[in-house]
Amino acid sequence: MAKPTKKPVMKVVKTAKAVAPKKEDVDKYLKGKGLDSHREKEIGQHIGYRYDVNLVPDYSRLTPFLKKYLEVMGWDDLNWLEDVHMGYEEGRAAVFDRNVNGWVTIPAGMKLPDNQQDRDMIARELLIKFQMSRKHPMVDLNKAYRKF
């Protein structure tokens, strides 16, 4: 007599129900404070690198200086300047310079536009101008440690 063969048992597996991701307001950093992390709440401002890296600057808002800068450098985009944004240091508009690891404040009498994209373009321009100026701390380091 042949042994009865076991039929494979089909198990019913419940799959997780697909949940649509929560949509965030894309302008939340422009409209509100946008302070999400503990650190941002602690320092009272948004941390720039948390912006969506896929959002590129609106090139129609380039300042005349930045247009000329891109032309002279032979570049098609802002590349290293895309994550430069206008921030605030001690209540004054400022831009962060990674080379000196500090904030460079905007001249006190300078009027800033209401649009964040335009403010960011001004921040990029001022950062470049400061980094090229004789007042930049890297100039002193260059003089002190230049080998040739």
PDB file of all heavy atoms in Angstrom, residues 12 14 17 45 61 64 77 80 97 114 127-128 142 147:
ATOM      1  N   VAL A  12      -2.139  31.638   4.233  1.00  0.00           N
ATOM      2  CA  VAL A  12      -2.637  32.956   3.865  1.00  0.00           C
ATOM      3  C   VAL A  12      -1.806  33.978   4.630  1.00  0.00           C
ATOM      4  O   VAL A  12      -1.731  33.947   5.850  1.00  0.00           O
ATOM      5  CB  VAL A  12      -4.133  33.099   4.218  1.00  0.00           C
ATOM      6  CG1 VAL A  12      -4.617  34.499   3.898  1.00  0.00           C
ATOM      7  CG2 VAL A  12      -4.936  32.058   3.476  1.00  0.00           C
ATOM      8  N   LYS A  14      -1.205  37.876   5.357  1.00  0.00           N
ATOM      9  CA  LYS A  14      -1.809  39.196   5.249  1.00  0.00           C
ATOM     10  C   LYS A  14      -0.714  40.209   4.924  1.00  0.00           C
ATOM     11  O   LYS A  14       0.330  40.211   5.564  1.00  0.00           O
ATOM     12  CB  LYS A  14      -2.504  39.574   6.553  1.00  0.00           C
ATOM     13  CG  LYS A  14      -3.732  38.742   6.824  1.00  0.00           C
ATOM     14  CD  LYS A  14      -4.426  39.233   8.067  1.00  0.00           C
ATOM     15  CE  LYS A  14      -5.663  38.411   8.325  1.00  0.00           C
ATOM     16  NZ  LYS A  14      -6.391  38.891   9.493  1.00  0.00           N
ATOM     17  N   LYS A  17      -1.328  47.052   4.555  1.00  0.00           N
ATOM     18  CA  LYS A  17      -2.061  47.964   3.692  1.00  0.00           C
ATOM     19  C   LYS A  17      -1.151  49.140   3.325  1.00  0.00           C
ATOM     20  O   LYS A  17      -0.466  49.691   4.183  1.00  0.00           O
ATOM     21  CB  LYS A  17      -3.290  48.466   4.431  1.00  0.00           C
ATOM     22  CG  LYS A  17      -4.303  49.129   3.555  1.00  0.00           C
ATOM     23  CD  LYS A  17      -5.546  49.444   4.365  1.00  0.00           C
ATOM     24  CE  LYS A  17      -6.643  49.901   3.449  1.00  0.00           C
ATOM     25  NZ  LYS A  17      -7.868  50.170   4.199  1.00  0.00           N
ATOM     26  N   GLN A  45      16.460  78.542  14.279  1.00  0.00           N
ATOM     27  CA  GLN A  45      16.468  78.733  12.830  1.00  0.00           C
ATOM     28  C   GLN A  45      16.583  77.405  12.120  1.00  0.00           C
ATOM     29  O   GLN A  45      17.005  76.412  12.698  1.00  0.00           O
ATOM     30  CB  GLN A  45      17.566  79.680  12.385  1.00  0.00           C
ATOM     31  CG  GLN A  45      18.963  79.173  12.576  1.00  0.00           C
ATOM     32  CD  GLN A  45      19.979  80.244  12.224  1.00  0.00           C
ATOM     33  OE1 GLN A  45      19.783  81.408  12.512  1.00  0.00           O
ATOM     34  NE2 GLN A  45      21.050  79.859  11.608  1.00  0.00           N
ATOM     35  N   ARG A  61      16.383  84.309 -11.522  1.00  0.00           N
ATOM     36  CA  ARG A  61      16.571  85.287 -10.449  1.00  0.00           C
ATOM     37  C   ARG A  61      18.052  85.592 -10.179  1.00  0.00           C
ATOM     38  O   ARG A  61      18.369  86.252  -9.207  1.00  0.00           O
ATOM     39  CB  ARG A  61      15.917  84.783  -9.167  1.00  0.00           C
ATOM     40  CG  ARG A  61      14.419  84.618  -9.294  1.00  0.00           C
ATOM     41  CD  ARG A  61      13.835  84.179  -7.973  1.00  0.00           C
ATOM     42  NE  ARG A  61      12.427  83.969  -8.035  1.00  0.00           N
ATOM     43  CZ  ARG A  61      11.500  84.915  -7.912  1.00  0.00           C
ATOM     44  NH1 ARG A  61      11.871  86.164  -7.742  1.00  0.00           N
ATOM     45  NH2 ARG A  61      10.229  84.622  -7.958  1.00  0.00           N
ATOM     46  N   PRO A  64      22.945  90.251 -11.555  1.00  0.00           N
ATOM     47  CA  PRO A  64      23.894  90.532 -12.646  1.00  0.00           C
ATOM     48  C   PRO A  64      25.306  90.037 -12.308  1.00  0.00           C
ATOM     49  O   PRO A  64      26.013  89.521 -13.177  1.00  0.00           O
ATOM     50  CB  PRO A  64      23.848  92.052 -12.780  1.00  0.00           C
ATOM     51  CG  PRO A  64      22.485  92.426 -12.290  1.00  0.00           C
ATOM     52  CD  PRO A  64      22.178  91.448 -11.184  1.00  0.00           C
ATOM     53  N   ASP A  77      26.032  76.100 -14.104  1.00  0.00           N
ATOM     54  CA  ASP A  77      25.150  76.161 -12.936  1.00  0.00           C
ATOM     55  C   ASP A  77      25.891  76.693 -11.723  1.00  0.00           C
ATOM     56  O   ASP A  77      27.084  76.974 -11.789  1.00  0.00           O
ATOM     57  CB  ASP A  77      24.564  74.782 -12.631  1.00  0.00           C
ATOM     58  CG  ASP A  77      25.639  73.734 -12.361  1.00  0.00           C
ATOM     59  OD1 ASP A  77      26.698  74.073 -11.785  1.00  0.00           O
ATOM     60  OD2 ASP A  77      25.431  72.569 -12.709  1.00  0.00           O
ATOM     61  N   TRP A  80      28.282  74.520  -6.379  1.00  0.00           N
ATOM     62  CA  TRP A  80      28.679  74.599  -4.968  1.00  0.00           C
ATOM     63  C   TRP A  80      27.912  75.659  -4.194  1.00  0.00           C
ATOM     64  O   TRP A  80      27.926  75.684  -2.968  1.00  0.00           O
ATOM     65  CB  TRP A  80      30.186  74.827  -4.834  1.00  0.00           C
ATOM     66  CG  TRP A  80      30.662  76.162  -5.315  1.00  0.00           C
ATOM     67  CD1 TRP A  80      30.952  76.527  -6.600  1.00  0.00           C
ATOM     68  CD2 TRP A  80      30.904  77.322  -4.528  1.00  0.00           C
ATOM     69  NE1 TRP A  80      31.351  77.826  -6.662  1.00  0.00           N
ATOM     70  CE2 TRP A  80      31.341  78.352  -5.402  1.00  0.00           C
ATOM     71  CE3 TRP A  80      30.805  77.608  -3.167  1.00  0.00           C
ATOM     72  CZ2 TRP A  80      31.666  79.629  -4.964  1.00  0.00           C
ATOM     73  CZ3 TRP A  80      31.136  78.885  -2.742  1.00  0.00           C
ATOM     74  CH2 TRP A  80      31.555  79.877  -3.633  1.00  0.00           C
ATOM     75  N   ASP A  97      29.643  81.121   5.977  1.00  0.00           N
ATOM     76  CA  ASP A  97      30.855  80.853   5.196  1.00  0.00           C
ATOM     77  C   ASP A  97      31.550  79.643   5.812  1.00  0.00           C
ATOM     78  O   ASP A  97      32.072  79.713   6.920  1.00  0.00           O
ATOM     79  CB  ASP A  97      31.770  82.077   5.221  1.00  0.00           C
ATOM     80  CG  ASP A  97      33.021  81.906   4.363  1.00  0.00           C
ATOM     81  OD1 ASP A  97      33.279  80.777   3.886  1.00  0.00           O
ATOM     82  OD2 ASP A  97      33.743  82.899   4.176  1.00  0.00           O
ATOM     83  N   ASP A 114      11.428  90.472  -0.351  1.00  0.00           N
ATOM     84  CA  ASP A 114      10.535  89.596   0.403  1.00  0.00           C
ATOM     85  C   ASP A 114      10.636  88.144  -0.051  1.00  0.00           C
ATOM     86  O   ASP A 114      10.292  87.234   0.694  1.00  0.00           O
ATOM     87  CB  ASP A 114       9.079  90.059   0.255  1.00  0.00           C
ATOM     88  CG  ASP A 114       8.838  91.390   0.947  1.00  0.00           C
ATOM     89  OD1 ASP A 114       9.586  91.697   1.897  1.00  0.00           O
ATOM     90  OD2 ASP A 114       7.924  92.113   0.532  1.00  0.00           O
ATOM     91  N   LEU A 127      28.510  86.165  -0.460  1.00  0.00           N
ATOM     92  CA  LEU A 127      29.491  85.176  -0.019  1.00  0.00           C
ATOM     93  C   LEU A 127      30.691  85.146  -0.962  1.00  0.00           C
ATOM     94  O   LEU A 127      31.844  85.173  -0.524  1.00  0.00           O
ATOM     95  CB  LEU A 127      28.857  83.789   0.069  1.00  0.00           C
ATOM     96  CG  LEU A 127      29.802  82.662   0.487  1.00  0.00           C
ATOM     97  CD1 LEU A 127      30.325  82.876   1.906  1.00  0.00           C
ATOM     98  CD2 LEU A 127      29.104  81.315   0.375  1.00  0.00           C
ATOM     99  N   ILE A 128      30.429  85.138  -2.259  1.00  0.00           N
ATOM    100  CA  ILE A 128      31.524  85.129  -3.237  1.00  0.00           C
ATOM    101  C   ILE A 128      32.365  86.399  -3.099  1.00  0.00           C
ATOM    102  O   ILE A 128      33.595  86.345  -3.071  1.00  0.00           O
ATOM    103  CB  ILE A 128      30.985  85.015  -4.679  1.00  0.00           C
ATOM    104  CG1 ILE A 128      30.365  83.636  -4.894  1.00  0.00           C
ATOM    105  CG2 ILE A 128      32.095  85.258  -5.690  1.00  0.00           C
ATOM    106  CD1 ILE A 128      29.579  83.529  -6.187  1.00  0.00           C
ATOM    107  N   ASN A 142      46.749  82.534   3.795  1.00  0.00           N
ATOM    108  CA  ASN A 142      47.496  82.331   2.560  1.00  0.00           C
ATOM    109  C   ASN A 142      48.872  82.998   2.655  1.00  0.00           C
ATOM    110  O   ASN A 142      49.896  82.404   2.313  1.00  0.00           O
ATOM    111  CB  ASN A 142      46.697  82.874   1.374  1.00  0.00           C
ATOM    112  CG  ASN A 142      47.377  82.597   0.050  1.00  0.00           C
ATOM    113  OD1 ASN A 142      48.195  81.694  -0.080  1.00  0.00           O
ATOM    114  ND2 ASN A 142      47.021  83.359  -0.949  1.00  0.00           N
ATOM    115  N   LYS A 147      53.681  78.418   0.434  1.00  0.00           N
ATOM    116  CA  LYS A 147      55.003  77.794   0.279  1.00  0.00           C
ATOM    117  C   LYS A 147      55.760  78.360  -0.903  1.00  0.00           C
ATOM    118  O   LYS A 147      56.973  78.276  -0.953  1.00  0.00           O
ATOM    119  CB  LYS A 147      54.843  76.281   0.111  1.00  0.00           C
ATOM    120  CG  LYS A 147      54.336  75.622   1.383  1.00  0.00           C
ATOM    121  CD  LYS A 147      54.307  74.128   1.243  1.00  0.00           C
ATOM    122  CE  LYS A 147      53.817  73.520   2.535  1.00  0.00           C
ATOM    123  NZ  LYS A 147      53.882  72.076   2.520  1.00  0.00           N
TER     124      LYS A 147
END
